[in-house]
């Protein structure tokens, strides 16, 4: 950011009083721009023991499989965002069961939060964001074709927990881009 969104004055990069990092600060109106991480919310949709995945029809990672997820909107909860994204990407209504994984990705300023969810019925279809939507057997997940490292990590946690039948909450971080 070079100019203040409030008054248009050129900003300076400085550490505001009581803060610990440089931020754009307007010397004219004293506006401080706090550019914070973006929240990605989604689900691990299950139906009859299978996982629903969506093949991306948009960038980034066009043509790769992913869990239905996307940017949380202002005015909605993480759960509302996850269910909305599931509907937008798969055309399916999901019923959330519990938060399952939260993965911080500092190098892209994002936090990915996934909920375990069930589909009430096998009612899904491609959308403007997904060229294909498919249920996968747990031993048939297309590991080499997954779009994001957070999806891979979440599915690995899911399979570990599935072996025991006890589904916990997993928190992790990904420090380098390992699409």
């Amino acid at each position: 950011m070079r100019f203040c969104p409030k008054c248009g004055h050129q900003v300076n990069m400085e550490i505001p009083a009581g803060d610990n990092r440089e931020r754009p600060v307007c010397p004219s109106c004293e506006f401080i721009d706090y550019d914070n991480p973006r929240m990605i919310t989604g689900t691990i949709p299950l139906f009859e023991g299978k996982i629903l995945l969506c093949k991306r029809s948009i960038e980034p990672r066009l043509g790769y499989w992913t869990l239905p997820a996307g940017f949380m909107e202002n005015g909605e909860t993480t759960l509302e965002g996850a269910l909305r994204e599931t509907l937008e990407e798969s055309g399916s209504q999901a019923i959330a069961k519990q938060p399952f994984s939260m993965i911080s990705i500092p190098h892209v300023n994002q936090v990915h939060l996934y909920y375990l969810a069930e589909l009430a019925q096998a009612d899904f279809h491609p959308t403007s964001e997904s060229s294909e939507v498919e249920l996968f057997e747990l031993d048939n997940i297309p590991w080499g074709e997954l779009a994001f490292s957070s999806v891979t990590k979440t599915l690995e946690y899911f399979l570990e927990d599935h072996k025991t039948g006890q589904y916990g909450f997993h928190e992790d971080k990904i420090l380098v881009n390992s699409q």
Side-chain angles (χ1 to χ4, degrees):
M1 164 184 287
R2 294 181 55 206
F3 298 95
C4 178
K6 292 207 173 237
C7 73
H9 195 278
Q10 188 168 350
V11 298
N12 298 325
M13 291 301 293
E14 58 186 70
I15 300 173
D19 206 335
N20 63 1
R21 63 193 68 211
E22 276 193 346
R23 302 186 189 277
V25 177
C26 179
S28 178
C29 73
E30 299 181 351
F31 173 78
I32 302 169
D33 182 46
Y34 293 94
D35 184 20
N36 295 320
R38 294 168 297 203
M39 178 66 92
I40 308 298
T41 60
T43 63
I44 307 164
L46 305 170
F47 183 77
E48 296 180 349
K50 299 177 184 175
I51 294 179
L52 184 79
L53 296 178
C54 303
K55 186 176 270 191
R56 294 181 57 80
S57 64
I58 58 175
E59 291 292 354
R61 308 292 286 161
L62 175 81
Y64 285 84
W65 291 97
T66 189
L67 292 166
F71 291 104
M72 184 175 147
E73 297 288 350
N74 290 333
E76 69 183 1
T77 66
T78 57
L79 178 55
E80 290 168 339
L83 296 176
R84 175 187 49 76
E85 285 291 341
T86 301
L87 180 62
E88 287 178 5
E89 294 191 8
S90 71
S92 186
Q93 296 279 344
I95 301 161
K97 296 300 180 185
Q98 71 179 64
F100 183 74
S101 70
M102 182 172 66
I103 301 174
S104 297
I105 310 175
H107 70 275
V108 293
N109 301 317
Q110 294 179 358
V111 176
H112 295 203
L113 176 63
Y114 290 97
Y115 287 84
L116 278 179
E118 289 183 10
L119 302 179
Q121 54 191 11
D123 180 23
F124 52 85
H125 55 81
T127 68
S128 62
E129 297 181 25
S130 302
S131 60
E132 296 178 49
V133 181
E134 187 176 326
L135 287 170
F136 285 87
E137 297 282 349
L138 300 184
D139 60 356
N140 201 25
I141 293 171
W143 292 105
E145 300 173 49
L146 295 178
F148 305 107
S149 51
S150 64
V151 170
T152 300
K153 181 63 80 175
T154 294
L155 290 174
E156 288 170 351
Y157 285 138
F158 175 80
L159 291 179
E160 288 174 21
D161 286 4
H162 185 72
K163 290 176 187 173
T164 66
Q166 300 293 316
Y167 299 93
F169 180 74
H170 304 273
E171 186 172 356
D172 206 337
K173 63 183 168 188
I174 297 172
L175 295 176
V176 294
N177 190 3
S178 60
Q179 300 282 340

